[in-house]
Amino acid sequence: ITKYNIILRGQDSGTFSRSKASRFKAYFSRGYAHAKVNNMEDALNDFSTCIEIDNTYPEAYYNRALVFRSLLCHASAYKDLCDAIKRTTVNEKRRVYRLAQAFVQRELGYFKHAGDDLRKNMTKKEYSDFLARNFKKDQEEAERQEAERTKKFLALKRQNSKRKQSIFDITKTAKQNNS
C-alpha cells in the first residue's frame, strides 16, 4: 500500500508519469492491496477512482462488486457485476462474473434466478459439488440441533427422575423450555 501511495504522490507532483493508464494501474493495485488486508472502505474508494478514470475496464467493476459484497451492499454489487458482464468480451471472465452475480442474487433473495444462473454457468461437476457442500452444511446443522435437543431432554429426564415424574410430564416440560 505504501508503494502505491508513493507512486500516486509522485504522479501528483509530476515526478512519475501522469498518464491515464499509469494512474489507473496505481489506483487499481492499491485498491487490490487494500482489499487483501481487509481495508474495504479504502479499496472501495480506489476502485471507484479507477472507474472514474476508465469506465470501460470490467475488472474494476468486478473488484468493486466484491468489495461491495463484503460490505453487505448487495444491490450495488449486483449493479457492478452487470456492468462488468456488459463490458467484457472474454467468455471465461463473463462466466466468472455471472457466477458471482448468481451468489449476489441469492443474497438478495432471488433464489430462482440465482439457481438458474449457477446451473448455466457451472459445469455439471461444479454444480453437483456445490449442491453437495450446501446439503452437507445443512445436514450437519440439523444433526447439531438434534444432538442439542437430545442433550437437553436427557438432562431434564435426569433432573426429573429424582421427582419420579412420568415421561409425559418430562416431554411437556421440554417443549415448554424450547418455546
Side-chain angles (χ1 to χ4, degrees):
I1 295 172
T2 305
K3 173 182 159 185
Y4 300 113
N5 287 337
I6 292 169
I7 292 170
L8 289 168
R9 278 196 305 270
Q11 288 175 340
D12 289 340
S13 69
T15 307
F16 298 124
S17 170
R18 293 184 61 159
S19 72
K20 187 176 170 180
S22 65
R23 289 192 64 75
F24 181 91
K25 182 179 178 183
Y27 277 108
F28 188 88
S29 299
R30 189 173 74 172
Y32 190 80
H34 279 302
K36 279 292 193 189
V37 295
N38 211 21
N39 193 356
M40 294 304 176
E41 282 80 15
D42 290 334
L44 181 64
N45 291 334
D46 285 343
F47 288 128
S48 295
T49 302
C50 286
I51 291 169
E52 289 173 14
I53 293 170
D54 183 1
N55 66 357
T56 62
Y57 193 64
E59 288 290 321
Y61 286 97
Y62 174 71
N63 282 292
R64 189 171 77 169
L66 295 179
V67 171
F68 274 133
R69 186 174 178 213
S70 72
L71 293 171
L72 303 179
C73 300
H74 302 301
S76 297
Y78 182 79
K79 181 189 172 302
D80 276 357
L81 287 167
C82 289
D83 288 337
I85 291 167
K86 282 183 214 170
R87 286 169 172 76
T88 191
T89 57
V90 180
N91 284 336
E92 185 55 32
K93 284 186 178 182
R94 184 176 287 120
R95 181 180 165 272
V96 170
Y97 300 162
R98 287 188 193 275
L99 287 173
Q101 187 181 40
F103 286 109
V104 171
Q105 285 175 327
R106 186 182 69 178
E107 290 157 354
L108 287 169
Y110 302 123
F111 300 110
K112 181 177 178 350
H113 296 296
D116 291 345
D117 283 348
L118 285 174
R119 223 175 289 110
K120 286 179 199 171
N121 293 292
M122 286 182 158
T123 64
K124 287 182 181 181
K125 173 133 178 57
E126 288 172 331
Y127 189 67
S128 64
D129 289 348
F130 168 75
L131 292 177
R133 276 193 312 273
N134 282 343
F135 177 74
K136 186 176 180 181
K137 286 178 191 174
D138 293 344
Q139 189 176 15
E140 288 170 354
E141 178 63 20
E143 288 172 359
R144 187 192 62 74
Q145 288 176 352
E146 183 61 30
E148 193 175 296
R149 282 193 296 271
T150 302
K151 184 178 175 181
K152 285 180 183 178
F153 178 77
L154 292 174
L156 281 171
K157 186 176 176 182
R158 269 186 253 111
Q159 180 185 18
N160 291 328
S161 67
K162 296 173 186 168
R163 291 188 265 162
K164 301 289 183 193
Q165 288 183 323
S166 70
I167 191 70
F168 175 76
D169 293 333
I170 295 170
T171 306
K172 184 177 175 183
T173 305
K175 285 183 182 176
Q176 289 172 346
N177 287 342
N178 285 339
S179 306

